[in-house]
Amino acid sequence: EDKVVQSPLSLVVHEGDTVTLNCSYEVTNFRSLLWYKQEKKAPTFLFMLTSSGIEKKSGRLSSILDKKELFSILNITATQTGDSAIYLCAVPPRYGNKLVFGAGTILRVKS
Amino acid sequence: DTAVSQTPKYLVTQMGNDKSIKCEQNLGHDTMYWYKQDSKKFLKIMFSYNNKELIINETVPNRFSPKSPDKAHLNLHINSLELGDSAVYFCASSHYGAYGELFFGEGSRLTVL
């Protein structure tokens, strides 16, 4: 069965710290891995990593994919209170047009 | 312009009642989904429709019945509500076969008393 495991489950840091969120996956026929950020309401898309795009960066956020070891990390540098959210990792399974989500990492950035 | 909109945003009801949640998307996508997010924030697929046809039906009690009148709309009707149905229900849409980004609505928080 396709599986996504995220760690840590929750994290509290101070503004300015750098954080690394982890996502490991087991899926037959890997196609992509996605990161979402969920603040109070809807999850919003951050990055999609594929075999042809294993590293993505947007401002203070960056993500890499290790297809051999079956994991991805999401890095946030110089964290701000606005980074406080749940970060979700997801993969599409071999069959079916859907995403399988991990349980998420709850990040809290204290000022 | 809201891309994926759900109504109502909040629902509080008694056990045993029936309720519906509506979803509409204006992104021109052909695939829509219902996801359930429980109190531990775990997002799990319930249903998916592609061009009004049901393509994914996970292990969901048959008290839950989705309906898609057209590819821009996907509604969810829940009969005989139970305490365990309390959750946030998210509608989402995408292009079929994209294996990528889903666009989510803001969620409908259902509380069953």
Side-chain angles (χ1 to χ4, degrees), chain A residues 88-101:
Chain A
L88 298 161
C89 174
V91 294
R94 181 175 190 173
Y95 298 112
N97 199 79
K98 63 179 184 182
L99 289 179
V100 176
F101 282 87

Side-chain angles (χ1 to χ4, degrees), chain A residues 34-47 61 74 85-89 101, chain B residues 43 90 101-106:
Chain A
L34 294 93
W35 283 97
Y36 282 81
K37 177 183 181 183
Q38 185 178 16
E39 295 176 82
K40 290 184 181 164
K41 294 183 178 175
T44 53
F45 174 77
L46 291 175
F47 298 118
L61 275 68
L74 176 69
I86 302 169
Y87 290 84
L88 298 161
C89 174
F101 282 87
Chain B
L43 256 178
F90 283 99
E101 185 180 357
L102 296 186
F103 291 78
F104 284 88
E106 292 197 334

Side-chain angles (χ1 to χ4, degrees), chain B residues 23-80:
Chain B
C23 178
E24 176 181 2
Q25 54 95 5
N26 62 6
L27 296 166
H29 290 155
D30 52 10
T31 305
M32 295 184 73
Y33 311 79
W34 281 112
Y35 276 82
K36 179 180 179 181
Q37 189 171 45
D38 60 25
S39 56
K40 293 183 182 172
K41 306 299 181 187
F42 190 50
L43 256 178
K44 193 163 180 196
I45 182 79
M46 298 173 70
F47 302 103
S48 174
Y49 272 74
N50 173 249
N51 279 323
K52 304 193 295 177
E53 246 188 80
L54 181 66
I55 55 171
I56 293 173
N57 184 353
E58 297 289 298
T59 312
V60 176
N62 57 16
R63 298 182 294 102
F64 290 78
S65 49
K67 273 206 178 100
S68 181
D70 56 61
K71 68 177 190 177
H73 295 84
L74 179 61
N75 304 324
L76 183 66
H77 186 76
I78 316 170
N79 288 327
S80 304

